Amino acid sequence: MSSTGKPLLGAIEAGGTKFVLAVGHSPAHIIARHEIPTRDPAATLAEANAWFEGHGAIGALGIGSFGPVDLDRSSPEWGRITNTPKPGWANCDLVGYFAERLGVPIGFDTDVNAAALAEYTYGAGKSAASLAYITVGTGIGGGLVLDGKGVHGAAHPEMGHILPRRHPDDRDFKGVCPHHGDCLEGLASGPAIKARWGASLSELPADHEAHEIIACYLAQLAVSLIAVTSVEIIVFGGGVMKTPALLERVEQLASELGAAYFPGKAKHKIVSPGLGQNAGLTGSLLLAADL
Amino acid sequence: MSSTGKPLLGAIEAGGTKFVLAVGHSPAHIIARHEIPTRDPAATLAEANAWFEGHGAIGALGIGSFGPVDLDRSSPEWGRITNTPKPGWANCDLVGYFAERLGVPIGFDTDVNAAALAEYTYGAGKSAASLAYITVGTGIGGGLVLDGKGVHGAAHPEMGHILPRRHPDDRDFKGVCPHHGDCLEGLASGPAIKARWGASLSELPADHEAHEIIACYLAQLAVSLIAVTSVEIIVFGGGVMKTPALLERVEQLASELGAAYFPGKAKHKIVSPGLGQNAGLTGSLLLAADL
């Protein structure tokens, strides 16, 4: 129970490497935070559950999860991670597990939709009507908020798998995506950078061609987002985006590639996360608060 | 006044070649329809206005217009065509013109968002939660409906200007888009087809390479739409899509390009308009009915 007399909100940012847990009085007021490594589902979920039980009763739980996930509330599979290649996690019933043990209503979305919702509400998009949140790290994913709601469509966006034009100096690399080879994730994720140049982008000298090549691919996602949805704010987060000057290169190239043509151009912005590392967790709390 | 005692709805599908006008009891019940050629704004709008005045009082008007347009109700420019290259039409105050003369509330969106709304409500998407409507003709444009609402973002989608990968047998053509050269519209619109092969796609033999090349570009728009928004139904309409077997080629290539990877794949469908030529006009009536 919180000091306001209202039950606390709980949140899980469920990632492939770690689960981040939190309880808070509100999405903007986290009072405890805890990270656990992602192992097999049984061990990971039990450890998460024990942490929440150690913090007294919560009134609702929000989960922002790595995907793909089933977000269709009318589906018997709602609340599950579906066909992930991550060993042991396919068909993991995340929502069912915690609903049974904690007995509270549960909000559920992708990790990137949760992050987009948080940036839209409290961060880079708080005075905008639409926002996309892109993470560039081990994989590339994106969430989209239009008119205050996370976009699901038939399932949820998988923006990392658009097919960018190949950079002229990067024609030979086949890409690392097991599904598409040289889709965006196959060309510009952390592992794709390492596969070509043996180092992370931050480790490569500032004048290395990799900076321009990776920015060129990410800029194409920005152009596609603006062309298809006219989204106002595009937030680029994730480990790869910590590379100095990368965001500025993406912005510059998106503009050169034609984004300056699009109507409403004064409103389109490419920015860093306003909430830093906390977008996903804050978004998961928002999913709980919204129940 | 309609036979039900409720005032009639009026609609304008404002295109670059023609304006299509209608009055109806409801969006699905058109009682009169009229086409006028698009000349300069003064003559065209006066002729449209006279036609409505000849049909007695209407209670509301919906306008689906070629763009770019200003859809932001809080903007002083709301209801205008903005920076179109079409001579005379830049800054044309469509909504203001009819509001002043007809004295009725006016709904306003892009022609393709109106068509998407109609297909979503009555046509190819009537049992779906999301739909995109693409027209492939003199230009390429697209509208998007998510959760029953046309997507605007900062302005409105301009899907014809995504940057597809070049087909290996089509590397030399520079493209006809005055802004981007070889964006989708620059490569796969009617004028782009004519510029390369001197004929429309329907006029070229069934085994001509053009069919595969154009389908490859249009399929990339389908893949981008699914990756970015996970939209369920993608409707391809417009003159170029009347080419026999083109839709099937687009569907096949979209699947090969990776769309089969995306979650919710059983729900993603690429189809012809359910409303034939009437999507835009029916959508404009829906904009009037929604006031």
Side-chain angles (χ1 to χ4, degrees), chain B residues 13 68 86 93 133 180 185 196 241 257 265 268:
Chain B
E13 185 184 6
K86 193 171 170 65
D93 186 5
Y133 179 93
H180 309 117
E185 181 169 296
R196 288 223 241 359
M241 294 310 300
L257 279 168
K265 62 190 174 199
H268 299 301

Side-chain angles (χ1 to χ4, degrees), chain B residues 10 31 35 40 56 63 71 99 102 107 139 146 150 172 178 188 216 229 239 248 259 266 275 277:
Chain B
I31 58 174
E35 294 190 9
D40 63 284
I63 304 175
L71 301 177
L102 299 174
L146 298 174
D172 298 333
C216 158
T229 69
E248 292 73 18
L275 302 175
Q277 299 302 302

Side-chain angles (χ1 to χ4, degrees), chain A residues 154-155 158 161 164-165 182 227 230 261, chain B residues 154-155 158 164-165 182 227 230 261:
Chain A
E158 283 281 353
H161 299 274
R165 287 185 177 177
D182 65 347
S230 190
Y261 156 80
Chain B
E158 284 281 353
R165 285 185 178 178
D182 65 348
S230 190
Y261 157 80

Side-chain angles (χ1 to χ4, degrees), chain A residues 22 28 46 53 96-97 127 135 144 147 153 165 204 222 251-252 263 270 281:
Chain A
E53 289 184 340
Y97 183 94
S127 53
T135 179
L144 185 59
D147 292 321
R165 287 185 177 177
L204 295 167
E251 203 178 1
Q252 177 62 30
I270 293 173
L281 197 58

